[in-house]
Amino acid sequence: MSSPMTPAEARVNLSAIRDNLALLRGHAPGAETMVAVKADAYGHGLIPGARACLAGGAGRLGTAYVREALELRAAGITAPILSWIIPPNEPLDEAVQQDIELSAASPGLVDAIAGAAGRAGRAARVHLKVDTGMSRGGAALAEWPALLDRALGRQAEGTIEIVGLWSHFACADMPGDPSIALQLAAFDEALAVADKAGVRGSHIIRHIANSAAILTLPQARYDMVRPGIATFGLSPVPELGDFGLRPAMTLVARIALVKRVPADSGVSYGHLYVTDRETTLGLVPLGYADGILRHATNRAEVLAGGRRRRIAGRVCMDQFMIDVGDDPLAEGDEVVLFGDGSQGEPTAQEWADSLGTITHEIVTRIGSRVPRVYR
């Protein structure tokens, strides 16, 4: 049960994370597993989420930013970590000192990492990223030879060690999209160029597969796979089902106020919901400041009093209302916004579908006012 002092909490099932990871590893038995724990482990809590992943058999962790990796190190996590978004003025010296692997997609960034390594007195471990068709991070294929040349030069002087070659899919969550085969072909081409340039050996980790590719593209698994959202039980390809994954997060709140109102009562800002009879309203103390999208107004459902109820009226910064009709409702009663669906509550996928978004946004938006409780 929630503490009486806690109006809401996100309950995170660590066993579900471990089980999901075991399922994903079963799809790529010959590959190493690096779990992306960026964005506070997709809203589930960086440190507990990372530890659950390691307990479930992950050999490595991945973060978007160096500061996330440093937080893992400060918590005593010693597993290999790769950070891949390196804007200017990142703490590269500390990253190298803390043995954090870094991604590079330009000769200039290779030089910056090498400089940090020189100051740290140890070689930096670097993964070189190639853009195979997403037009986001990574070196374009035309620039790939120059990146390899600069990295090999820095490796020869002992400031960096090339340990990985990688890329990222644009449409792996769209099975059959023509870009998938094109990106695989481009990645194979980039690997061949790297091998010819001298970047070769069993220590080089080749990786491109995200959650969707792990589950749908056996040919994309190479030496390592990078599960993200699927680790936390949310399907990366919802139209193909849940793949046996179990959602790890259940978001709950306690009713803060119950009131009886007459017919034709306008509810919340703008009176976008008007009661059609005398009815009971309940105030749920979560709002868009906590990550409940304002777009959920009159759309998303919650479980209250054993039944699903649609949000009634505008979602506010700190609260929203539900209409329970003549059903009993008391202050302190628990409302489930989303969970694994086993008790009849909506799932994060249902919330995403009703709001025209993806589950990533639903779980990562849950804010810091909502404590995470681990079970």
Side-chain angles (χ1 to χ4, degrees):
M1 295 293 289
S2 300
S3 163
M5 299 300 291
T6 304
E9 65 186 29
R11 297 170 182 164
V12 178
N13 185 336
L14 298 176
S15 294
I17 294 174
R18 292 193 293 267
D19 292 347
N20 292 331
L21 190 55
L23 183 152
L24 292 162
R25 292 177 65 223
H27 280 269
E32 193 172 359
T33 303
M34 181 187 82
V35 179
V37 291
K38 60 182 181 175
D40 200 33
Y42 289 74
H44 293 69
L46 177 61
I47 305 305
R51 286 178 172 150
C53 291
L54 294 171
R60 295 169 170 265
L61 300 171
T63 67
Y65 298 106
V66 167
R67 61 179 178 271
E68 297 170 312
L70 292 175
E71 188 175 343
L72 292 169
R73 287 285 186 257
I77 292 174
T78 59
I81 304 171
L82 170 64
S83 295
W84 53 78
I85 300 179
I86 317 291
N89 302 315
E90 280 290 271
L92 295 180
D93 292 27
E94 189 175 358
V96 176
Q97 291 165 0
Q98 294 291 330
D99 198 25
I100 294 165
E101 298 177 4
L102 300 167
S103 173
S106 70
L109 183 52
V110 169
D111 289 342
I113 294 171
R119 292 186 293 274
R122 60 185 300 176
R125 293 168 59 84
V126 174
H127 294 239
L128 302 178
K129 185 176 185 182
V130 59
D131 178 7
T132 54
M134 192 173 187
S135 301
R136 198 177 66 173
L141 285 173
E143 300 166 350
W144 182 239
L147 176 62
L148 294 168
D149 183 66
R150 184 65 58 86
L152 285 164
R154 292 298 191 180
Q155 181 168 261
E157 71 183 24
T159 51
I160 74 165
E161 179 187 3
I162 304 169
V163 297
L165 302 171
W166 74 295
S167 191
H168 193 61
F169 281 114
C171 303
D173 58 344
M174 300 163 60
D177 189 272
S179 69
I180 296 171
L182 293 173
Q183 282 199 255
L184 278 171
F187 190 50
D188 285 336
E189 178 185 347
L191 294 177
V193 171
D195 181 78
K196 186 175 180 180
V199 181
R200 62 172 71 99
S202 59
H203 68 291
I204 301 294
I205 304 169
R206 303 164 302 162
H207 52 109
I208 190 173
N210 56 4
S211 289
I214 294 168
L215 292 166
T216 65
L217 292 171
Q219 66 271 37
R221 292 164 190 160
Y222 292 91
D223 305 310
M224 185 171 75
V225 294
R226 308 188 309 263
I229 193 69
T231 308
F232 305 98
L234 302 172
S235 176
V237 194
E239 59 267 33
L240 296 184
D242 62 16
F243 298 94
L245 299 165
R246 192 155 52 108
M249 180 188 289
T250 299
L251 181 63
V252 301
R254 287 180 175 275
I255 293 293
L257 176 69
V258 174
K259 63 197 305 179
R260 195 76 176 166
V261 300
D264 298 319
S265 294
V267 179
S268 193
Y269 290 121
H271 286 180
L272 299 181
Y273 181 87
V274 179
T275 62
D276 60 4
R277 68 207 180 291
E278 183 182 355
T279 191
T280 298
L281 300 177
L283 188 156
V284 180
L286 283 170
Y288 57 76
D290 305 295
I292 308 305
L293 278 71
R294 195 166 180 260
H295 194 50
T297 295
N298 291 342
R299 290 171 179 259
E301 294 182 334
V302 304
L303 182 70
R307 291 177 54 191
R308 290 198 183 192
R309 326 279 180 169
R310 185 165 293 172
I311 291 175
R314 178 73 73 192
V315 173
C316 308
M317 183 179 290
D318 314 292
Q319 58 197 290
F320 64 82
M321 305 299 289
I322 57 173
D323 182 345
V324 300
D326 296 323
D327 292 342
L329 187 71
E331 293 168 10
D333 284 356
E334 189 171 275
V335 174
V336 183
L337 282 78
F338 57 79
D340 65 10
S342 61
Q343 304 303 314
E345 77 276 18
T347 62
Q349 186 62 58
E350 289 179 87
W351 267 65
D353 291 343
S354 69
L355 302 181
T357 186
I358 56 175
T359 54
H360 305 59
E361 186 174 16
I362 299 300
V363 292
T364 60
R365 287 177 66 98
I366 303 305
S368 60
R369 294 199 301 189
V370 181
R372 274 59 170 174
V373 177
Y374 298 95
R375 301 187 170 191

